[in-house]
Amino acid sequence: MAHEEEHGQPGLIASLGRVVRNALGLLLNRLELAALELAEVRDHLLKLVVVFALAMLLGGFALIYASVTIVYLAWAAIGWVILPIVTGVFLLLAIALVLYARGLIRSGTLSLPATMAELKSDRDMLL
């Protein structure tokens, strides 16, 4: 019987070899999918960082010039009181932007939906 297994008859070791080969193929397939999605997320994140940096730079310049203009125009009417008012407005805007950014992050646009769905289906199939 051992002689028959050596001449191409399917045996336990050959079956285990095919199972291991298929499992490794499945694992490599999932790793390739994850790598592809990570590359896409990296590109989106890089674009987001560049756009955000430019927006911050230009927005900062605009904010500085607008603040100076407002303080200059209001100084004659209300004096130093304009400074805490402008500071409070900027603080409220900053808090609103931080809350908006947290909402964007929590929305899941930086996750790996296809990879996670495939891994979940693989887990469900194996269990």
Side-chain angles (χ1 to χ4, degrees):
M1 190 188 271
H3 189 27
E4 290 176 353
E5 288 179 8
E6 292 175 0
H7 292 326
Q9 294 292 331
L12 181 60
I13 295 192
S15 295
L16 285 175
R18 282 193 300 273
V19 168
V20 169
R21 197 169 37 246
N22 288 338
L24 286 176
L26 181 65
L27 179 66
L28 288 175
N29 189 1
R30 297 305 182 240
L31 286 174
E32 288 172 358
L33 179 62
L36 180 65
E37 284 193 322
L38 283 173
E40 289 176 5
V41 168
R42 183 197 66 214
D43 291 343
H44 290 299
L45 191 59
L46 183 60
K47 285 179 188 176
L48 178 66
V49 166
V50 169
V51 168
F52 184 72
L54 287 173
M56 290 297 294
L57 179 69
L58 296 175
F61 283 135
L63 204 55
I64 289 168
Y65 284 111
S67 299
V68 169
T69 303
I70 290 171
V71 168
Y72 177 76
L73 293 174
W75 192 269
I78 58 176
W80 63 270
V81 177
I82 189 63
L83 296 175
I85 291 172
V86 170
T87 303
V89 168
F90 287 147
L91 184 61
L92 289 175
L93 288 172
I95 290 170
L97 286 173
V98 166
L99 293 175
Y100 177 71
R102 277 183 45 196
L104 286 177
I105 291 170
R106 289 185 179 174
S107 70
T109 56
L110 299 177
S111 66
L112 308 171
T115 299
M116 293 303 170
E118 287 298 322
L119 289 175
K120 184 176 184 236
S121 69
D122 292 345
R123 183 193 67 197
D124 292 342
M125 183 177 60
L126 292 174
L127 298 176

